[in-house]
C-alpha cells in the first residue's frame, strides 16, 4: 500500500510540473523596456524655427541730392561693398509642399560712395565732392514657399516675401574741391559731415534654394535671394569750416543679390530619411504536447 501511495505522489508531481512548463511556454514574454526619450518637437506638427547667415552683393540704382540737382550737377563713380547679414524667424509647414514664415534680419554696415560735379555760382567755378558713408539695414519679411518634392532627402523650393526695411546711412563725409574764379582763381577744399539718417519703406524678395533633411527635426538650407530694400538717406550735411548746411544725400532703389545658408528646427513628425520604425518583437507561442 505504501508503494502505491509513493507512485501516486510521484505521478501527481510529474503531471503538475508538465502543466507548469506548458503554462510557461504559452505565456508571452514581457515587452522590452521603453527607449530613452529623444529630443524631439513638442509644440505642434507644423511649427519650425529658423536661422540664416549670408552675404549680399548690394547695389544702389542712383544717388540724389537737392543742391546738386539745383545747380545742374551729376553723380558718377558709384562704389558699393558687400553686406553680411544674419537673421531669425518662426514658421509653419502646412503640408509637404507649402509653408510660410516671418523673419527678421540685420544687415551689417557696408561702405558706399559716390562723387559729383557741379558749377558753384558763389565761387564762380566748378566744384567736385566725394561722399563716403556706411549703409546698414533691418528687414522684416513675411515669406511663403513652395517645396517642389523630395528626392533622397533633398527638397528644392521657390518663394517670395514682402515686408518693411529700415535703412540707415551713418558716418557720411563730403570731401570737396572748389575751383573758384576759373580759370585763374584759387583752388580750395571743403569738408562736410552728416548725422545718421534713417528711412523705412517697402521691401520685397524672391527666393530659390535647396533643403536637406538631416533628421526629423533639422533641415539645412542653401539658397539665393533677390532682395529690394527701397531707399535710404543721410542726415543734414554740415560744412566743417563754415556755418553752411546742405540737403541729405539720398540712395534710391537699393537691392541685393543674397547668398545664404540656414537651418530649420522642425517641431513636427515628417522624416523622409529615417529608417523605418522598429516593430515590437513578441516571441512565438510554442505548444508542447
Amino acid at each position: 500500500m505504501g508503494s502505491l501511495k509513493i507512485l501516486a505522489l510521484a505521478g501527481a508531481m510529474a503531471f503538475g510540473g508538465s502543466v507548469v512548463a506548458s503554462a510557461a511556454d504559452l505565456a508571452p514574454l514581457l515587452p522590452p523596456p521603453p527607449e530613452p526619450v529623444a529630443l524631439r518637437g513638442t509644440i505642434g506638427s507644423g511649427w519650425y524655427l529658423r536661422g540664416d547667415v549670408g552675404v549680399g552683393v548690394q547695389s544702389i540704382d542712383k544717388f540724389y541730392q537737392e543742391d546738386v540737382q539745383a545747380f545742374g550737377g551729376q553723380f558718377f563713380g558709384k562704389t558699393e561693398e558687400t553686406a553680411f547679414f544674419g537673421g531669425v524667424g518662426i514658421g509653419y509647414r502646412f503640408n509637404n509642399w507649402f509653408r510660410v514664415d516671418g523673419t527678421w534680419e540685420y544687415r551689417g554696415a557696408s561702405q558706399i560712395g559716390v562723387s559729383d560735379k557741379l558749377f558753384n555760382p558763389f565761387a564762380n567755378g566748378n566744384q567736385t565732392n566725394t561722399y563716403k558713408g556706411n549703409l546698414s539695414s533691418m528687414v522684416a519679411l513675411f515669406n511663403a514657399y513652395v517645396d517642389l518634392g523630395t528626392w533622397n532627402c533633398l527638397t528644392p523650393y521657390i518663394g517670395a516675401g514682402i515686408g518693411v526695411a529700415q535703412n540707415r546711412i551713418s558716418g557720411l563725409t563730403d570731401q570737396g574741391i572748389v575751383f573758384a574764379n576759373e580759370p585763374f582763381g584759387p583752388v580750395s577744399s571743403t569738408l562736410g559731415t552728416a548725422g545718421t539718417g534713417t528711412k523705412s519703406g517697402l521691401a520685397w524678395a524672391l527666393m530659390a534654394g535647396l533643403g536637406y533633411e538631416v533628421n526629423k527635426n533639422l533641415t539645412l538650407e542653401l539658397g539665393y535671394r533677390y532682395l529690394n530694400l527701397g531707399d535710404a538717406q543721410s542726415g543734414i550735411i554740415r560744412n566743417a569750416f563754415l556755418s553752411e548746411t546742405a540737403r541729405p544725400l539720398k540712395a534710391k532703389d537699393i537691392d541685393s543679390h543674397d547668398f545664404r545658408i540656414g537651418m530649420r528646427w522642425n517641431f513636427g513628425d515628417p522624416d523622409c530619411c529615417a529608417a523605418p520604425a522598429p516593430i515590437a518583437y513578441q516571441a512565438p507561442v510554442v505548444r508542447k504536447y
Side-chain angles (χ1 to χ4, degrees):
M1 184 62 67
S3 298
L4 292 176
K5 290 181 179 181
I6 293 174
L7 290 175
L9 179 60
M13 293 177 63
F15 178 76
S18 175
V19 170
V20 171
S22 299
D25 290 336
L26 293 174
L29 297 179
L30 294 176
E35 297 181 359
V37 177
L39 184 62
R40 65 186 62 190
T42 57
I43 292 181
S45 61
W47 292 100
Y48 63 84
L49 300 177
R50 69 175 302 137
D52 301 273
V53 295
V55 60
V57 182
Q58 292 189 162
S59 64
I60 297 170
D61 183 57
K62 68 177 181 178
F63 286 89
Y64 177 82
Q65 205 266 349
E66 291 181 12
D67 298 315
V68 175
Q69 181 74 17
F71 294 117
Q74 58 183 359
F75 287 99
F76 65 93
K78 294 186 300 181
T79 60
E80 302 104 1
E81 290 189 359
T82 55
F84 295 92
F85 61 87
V88 294
I90 184 170
Y92 189 82
R93 180 180 181 181
F94 289 90
N95 49 47
N96 288 335
W97 61 271
F98 183 69
R99 55 189 168 88
V100 298
D101 60 38
T103 58
W104 178 92
E105 71 181 50
Y106 174 76
R107 304 175 69 87
S110 63
Q111 190 174 77
I112 60 173
V114 70
S115 298
D116 68 19
K117 183 177 181 180
L118 68 153
F119 179 77
N120 187 333
F122 304 104
N124 191 30
N126 289 322
Q127 178 175 338
T128 63
N129 300 279
T130 299
Y131 305 86
K132 290 183 179 180
N134 298 306
L135 173 64
S136 59
S137 304
M138 291 187 291
V139 186
L141 293 173
F142 176 78
N143 309 289
Y145 309 86
V146 176
D147 292 324
L148 303 177
T150 300
W151 298 269
N152 295 324
C153 302
L154 295 174
T155 305
Y157 68 86
I158 57 176
I162 190 168
V164 62
Q166 183 186 76
N167 302 311
R168 173 177 297 182
I169 295 180
S170 59
L172 183 75
T173 59
D174 170 11
Q175 297 178 334
I177 299 177
V178 181
F179 302 90
N181 300 311
E182 290 186 295
F184 306 107
V187 174
S188 62
S189 61
T190 65
L191 174 64
T193 60
T196 299
T198 61
K199 186 175 180 61
S200 299
L202 179 70
W204 57 275
L206 298 174
M207 296 161 282
L210 190 67
Y212 175 71
E213 187 177 289
V214 178
N215 54 48
K216 70 164 52 181
N217 295 120
L218 179 63
T219 301
L220 301 181
E221 278 190 9
L222 178 65
Y224 162 80
R225 177 179 67 182
Y226 171 81
L227 177 63
N228 189 289
L229 294 157
D231 302 337
Q233 69 177 39
S234 71
I236 296 293
I237 302 173
R238 303 183 184 278
N239 193 304
F241 307 120
L242 304 173
S243 59
E244 297 177 350
T245 61
R247 303 297 296 170
L249 177 70
K250 299 180 179 181
K252 298 283 191 177
D253 198 14
I254 306 165
D255 62 8
S256 181
H257 298 275
D258 293 343
F259 301 90
R260 58 182 183 167
I261 57 175
M263 56 156 284
R264 299 199 314 266
W265 179 260
N266 308 292
F267 290 97
D269 297 329
D271 188 4
C272 75
C273 300
I279 300 175
Y281 174 77
Q282 183 176 357
V285 177
V286 178
R287 297 182 181 275
K288 291 185 178 181
Y289 297 99

